Amino acid sequence: MIAVNGSFYAIEPNHGELDSISMGGNVRRIADISKVQGHIVPTALAFDGHNYVVGNLDTFPIKDGSSKIMKVTPGGAITTAYIGFSDILGLAYDAEGRLYVLENTTGNPFPTPFTAKILRVDGPNNYTVIADGTSMQLALPTAMTFGPDGNLYVSNWGFGPPPIGMGQILKVTVPY
């Protein structure tokens, strides 16, 4: 969920829609993603200052490269912006306006600890790996956000059976 211009915006993955929620609790559908894209399970949301960007999980088993990022206008028009991702669970923009993507699992057909990646979108089909499961111990991460210090903060062990006491927030220093 994100806040934009005095309202909350949320992805509802089961119905595949982007919804606006007013401070008074009124819910309004912005886009029915599943109507246009099928059951791709939208899971991540960010705002670029003009449009919403939505990443998707896709169906199981996980197929590397089958997830994508879509732009959704405030009026609900949907276009594909970037392709070739796997299992997207987080999107965030840095202070420079660059988009970062959290892939929960790569190279495996089902959620697998320590196979996640954080990518920076440098252009169409041009992505830079910022962190991966082994270098940062990314184990089933589920979300990320930029802190006021310019670092990424990632929820780690966000689902599944972590070792006792292993749920954590990781700080990722982003190279500029």
Side-chain angles (χ1 to χ4, degrees), residues 86-106:
S86 298
D87 226 19
I88 299 172
L89 286 186
L91 297 171
Y93 282 96
D94 69 9
E96 304 291 321
R98 297 176 297 186
L99 180 60
Y100 291 75
V101 181
L102 175 64
E103 296 178 308
N104 176 272
T105 296
T106 61

mmCIF file of all heavy atoms in Angstrom, residues 86-106:
data_model
loop_
_atom_site.group_PDB
_atom_site.id
_atom_site.type_symbol
_atom_site.label_atom_id
_atom_site.label_comp_id
_atom_site.label_asym_id
_atom_site.label_seq_id
_atom_site.Cartn_x
_atom_site.Cartn_y
_atom_site.Cartn_z
ATOM 1 N N SER A 86 11.468 -12.102 -12.368
ATOM 2 C CA SER A 86 10.962 -13.315 -11.729
ATOM 3 C C SER A 86 10.405 -12.984 -10.357
ATOM 4 O O SER A 86 11.096 -12.377 -9.540
ATOM 5 C CB SER A 86 12.100 -14.342 -11.576
ATOM 6 O OG SER A 86 12.593 -14.706 -12.841
ATOM 7 N N ASP A 87 9.138 -13.332 -10.145
ATOM 8 C CA ASP A 87 8.594 -13.347 -8.787
ATOM 9 C C ASP A 87 8.721 -12.009 -8.060
ATOM 10 O O ASP A 87 9.288 -11.924 -6.979
ATOM 11 C CB ASP A 87 9.370 -14.433 -8.016
ATOM 12 C CG ASP A 87 8.491 -15.330 -7.200
ATOM 13 O OD1 ASP A 87 7.289 -15.395 -7.466
ATOM 14 O OD2 ASP A 87 9.026 -15.963 -6.281
ATOM 15 N N ILE A 88 8.189 -10.929 -8.642
ATOM 16 C CA ILE A 88 8.339 -9.586 -8.074
ATOM 17 C C ILE A 88 7.490 -9.425 -6.816
ATOM 18 O O ILE A 88 6.288 -9.656 -6.836
ATOM 19 C CB ILE A 88 7.946 -8.499 -9.093
ATOM 20 C CG1 ILE A 88 8.836 -8.563 -10.328
ATOM 21 C CG2 ILE A 88 7.998 -7.109 -8.448
ATOM 22 C CD1 ILE A 88 8.404 -7.647 -11.454
ATOM 23 N N LEU A 89 8.143 -8.995 -5.715
ATOM 24 C CA LEU A 89 7.411 -8.704 -4.481
ATOM 25 C C LEU A 89 7.670 -7.291 -3.964
ATOM 26 O O LEU A 89 7.102 -6.908 -2.943
ATOM 27 C CB LEU A 89 7.754 -9.719 -3.388
ATOM 28 C CG LEU A 89 7.148 -11.104 -3.564
ATOM 29 C CD1 LEU A 89 7.435 -11.972 -2.348
ATOM 30 C CD2 LEU A 89 5.653 -11.038 -3.802
ATOM 31 N N GLY A 90 8.505 -6.520 -4.630
ATOM 32 C CA GLY A 90 8.757 -5.160 -4.161
ATOM 33 C C GLY A 90 9.200 -4.251 -5.286
ATOM 34 O O GLY A 90 9.907 -4.669 -6.201
ATOM 35 N N LEU A 91 8.765 -2.990 -5.210
ATOM 36 C CA LEU A 91 9.175 -1.929 -6.126
ATOM 37 C C LEU A 91 9.415 -0.680 -5.303
ATOM 38 O O LEU A 91 8.657 -0.398 -4.368
ATOM 39 C CB LEU A 91 8.087 -1.630 -7.161
ATOM 40 C CG LEU A 91 7.707 -2.742 -8.134
ATOM 41 C CD1 LEU A 91 6.469 -2.346 -8.927
ATOM 42 C CD2 LEU A 91 8.866 -3.050 -9.080
ATOM 43 N N ALA A 92 10.449 0.084 -5.649
ATOM 44 C CA ALA A 92 10.716 1.335 -4.931
ATOM 45 C C ALA A 92 11.532 2.262 -5.830
ATOM 46 O O ALA A 92 12.378 1.794 -6.609
ATOM 47 C CB ALA A 92 11.469 1.064 -3.629
ATOM 48 N N TYR A 93 11.283 3.554 -5.688
ATOM 49 C CA TYR A 93 12.062 4.567 -6.398
ATOM 50 C C TYR A 93 13.024 5.223 -5.431
ATOM 51 O O TYR A 93 12.661 5.531 -4.295
ATOM 52 C CB TYR A 93 11.138 5.643 -6.984
ATOM 53 C CG TYR A 93 10.434 5.203 -8.240
ATOM 54 C CD1 TYR A 93 9.144 4.694 -8.189
ATOM 55 C CD2 TYR A 93 11.063 5.311 -9.477
ATOM 56 C CE1 TYR A 93 8.492 4.300 -9.347
ATOM 57 C CE2 TYR A 93 10.423 4.915 -10.633
ATOM 58 C CZ TYR A 93 9.143 4.411 -10.560
ATOM 59 O OH TYR A 93 8.508 4.011 -11.703
ATOM 60 N N ASP A 94 14.260 5.476 -5.902
ATOM 61 C CA ASP A 94 15.219 6.213 -5.078
ATOM 62 C C ASP A 94 15.033 7.719 -5.291
ATOM 63 O O ASP A 94 14.170 8.144 -6.074
ATOM 64 C CB ASP A 94 16.660 5.754 -5.349
ATOM 65 C CG ASP A 94 17.207 6.120 -6.722
ATOM 66 O OD1 ASP A 94 16.574 6.897 -7.470
ATOM 67 O OD2 ASP A 94 18.311 5.627 -7.057
ATOM 68 N N ALA A 95 15.836 8.519 -4.607
ATOM 69 C CA ALA A 95 15.725 9.982 -4.682
ATOM 70 C C ALA A 95 16.038 10.509 -6.077
ATOM 71 O O ALA A 95 15.627 11.622 -6.432
ATOM 72 C CB ALA A 95 16.646 10.622 -3.649
ATOM 73 N N GLU A 96 16.741 9.720 -6.887
ATOM 74 C CA GLU A 96 17.074 10.114 -8.264
ATOM 75 C C GLU A 96 15.989 9.696 -9.250
ATOM 76 O O GLU A 96 16.122 9.931 -10.451
ATOM 77 C CB GLU A 96 18.402 9.472 -8.673
ATOM 78 C CG GLU A 96 19.564 9.767 -7.760
ATOM 79 C CD GLU A 96 19.996 11.219 -7.822
ATOM 80 O OE1 GLU A 96 19.999 11.791 -8.929
ATOM 81 O OE2 GLU A 96 20.313 11.773 -6.765
ATOM 82 N N GLY A 97 14.940 9.032 -8.766
ATOM 83 C CA GLY A 97 13.857 8.585 -9.634
ATOM 84 C C GLY A 97 14.115 7.263 -10.333
ATOM 85 O O GLY A 97 13.417 6.910 -11.280
ATOM 86 N N ARG A 98 15.116 6.513 -9.861
ATOM 87 C CA ARG A 98 15.421 5.207 -10.454
ATOM 88 C C ARG A 98 14.600 4.125 -9.766
ATOM 89 O O ARG A 98 14.461 4.129 -8.548
ATOM 90 C CB ARG A 98 16.911 4.904 -10.339
ATOM 91 C CG ARG A 98 17.765 5.907 -11.126
ATOM 92 C CD ARG A 98 19.220 5.670 -10.940
ATOM 93 N NE ARG A 98 19.583 5.874 -9.533
ATOM 94 C CZ ARG A 98 20.811 5.845 -9.075
ATOM 95 N NH1 ARG A 98 21.823 5.597 -9.884
ATOM 96 N NH2 ARG A 98 21.058 6.053 -7.794
ATOM 97 N N LEU A 99 14.094 3.192 -10.564
ATOM 98 C CA LEU A 99 13.233 2.119 -10.066
ATOM 99 C C LEU A 99 14.065 0.903 -9.663
ATOM 100 O O LEU A 99 14.947 0.469 -10.402
ATOM 101 C CB LEU A 99 12.231 1.717 -11.143
ATOM 102 C CG LEU A 99 11.238 0.595 -10.808
ATOM 103 C CD1 LEU A 99 10.366 0.959 -9.612
ATOM 104 C CD2 LEU A 99 10.382 0.277 -12.030
ATOM 105 N N TYR A 100 13.744 0.337 -8.500
ATOM 106 C CA TYR A 100 14.372 -0.871 -7.982
ATOM 107 C C TYR A 100 13.315 -1.957 -7.871
ATOM 108 O O TYR A 100 12.163 -1.679 -7.520
ATOM 109 C CB TYR A 100 15.013 -0.617 -6.619
ATOM 110 C CG TYR A 100 16.228 0.277 -6.726
ATOM 111 C CD1 TYR A 100 16.081 1.642 -6.945
ATOM 112 C CD2 TYR A 100 17.516 -0.246 -6.639
ATOM 113 C CE1 TYR A 100 17.191 2.469 -7.071
ATOM 114 C CE2 TYR A 100 18.628 0.577 -6.760
ATOM 115 C CZ TYR A 100 18.459 1.932 -6.973
ATOM 116 O OH TYR A 100 19.553 2.740 -7.113
ATOM 117 N N VAL A 101 13.728 -3.192 -8.148
ATOM 118 C CA VAL A 101 12.815 -4.326 -8.201
ATOM 119 C C VAL A 101 13.332 -5.422 -7.265
ATOM 120 O O VAL A 101 14.503 -5.794 -7.328
ATOM 121 C CB VAL A 101 12.727 -4.893 -9.638
ATOM 122 C CG1 VAL A 101 11.770 -6.062 -9.708
ATOM 123 C CG2 VAL A 101 12.344 -3.794 -10.624
ATOM 124 N N LEU A 102 12.461 -5.939 -6.422
ATOM 125 C CA LEU A 102 12.788 -7.051 -5.538
ATOM 126 C C LEU A 102 12.201 -8.331 -6.120
ATOM 127 O O LEU A 102 10.980 -8.465 -6.228
ATOM 128 C CB LEU A 102 12.222 -6.815 -4.139
ATOM 129 C CG LEU A 102 12.389 -7.952 -3.133
ATOM 130 C CD1 LEU A 102 13.865 -8.211 -2.843
ATOM 131 C CD2 LEU A 102 11.623 -7.639 -1.865
ATOM 132 N N GLU A 103 13.093 -9.253 -6.523
ATOM 133 C CA GLU A 103 12.671 -10.573 -6.978
ATOM 134 C C GLU A 103 12.831 -11.533 -5.804
ATOM 135 O O GLU A 103 13.927 -11.670 -5.265
ATOM 136 C CB GLU A 103 13.539 -11.050 -8.144
ATOM 137 C CG GLU A 103 13.422 -10.212 -9.390
ATOM 138 C CD GLU A 103 14.334 -10.704 -10.487
ATOM 139 O OE1 GLU A 103 15.547 -10.878 -10.225
ATOM 140 O OE2 GLU A 103 13.834 -10.932 -11.597
ATOM 141 N N ASN A 104 11.763 -12.212 -5.432
ATOM 142 C CA ASN A 104 11.807 -13.094 -4.265
ATOM 143 C C ASN A 104 12.600 -14.365 -4.514
ATOM 144 O O ASN A 104 13.344 -14.822 -3.657
ATOM 145 C CB ASN A 104 10.390 -13.445 -3.814
ATOM 146 C CG ASN A 104 10.378 -14.424 -2.686
ATOM 147 O OD1 ASN A 104 10.390 -15.631 -2.913
ATOM 148 N ND2 ASN A 104 10.371 -13.924 -1.463
ATOM 149 N N THR A 105 12.419 -14.971 -5.668
ATOM 150 C CA THR A 105 13.082 -16.236 -6.000
ATOM 151 C C THR A 105 13.490 -16.216 -7.465
ATOM 152 O O THR A 105 12.706 -15.836 -8.323
ATOM 153 C CB THR A 105 12.139 -17.436 -5.764
ATOM 154 O OG1 THR A 105 11.839 -17.520 -4.365
ATOM 155 C CG2 THR A 105 12.744 -18.748 -6.217
ATOM 156 N N THR A 106 14.722 -16.638 -7.736
ATOM 157 C CA THR A 106 15.179 -16.775 -9.118
ATOM 158 C C THR A 106 15.826 -18.147 -9.283
ATOM 159 O O THR A 106 16.389 -18.696 -8.336
ATOM 160 C CB THR A 106 16.198 -15.683 -9.495
ATOM 161 O OG1 THR A 106 17.345 -15.797 -8.653
ATOM 162 C CG2 THR A 106 15.596 -14.288 -9.346
#
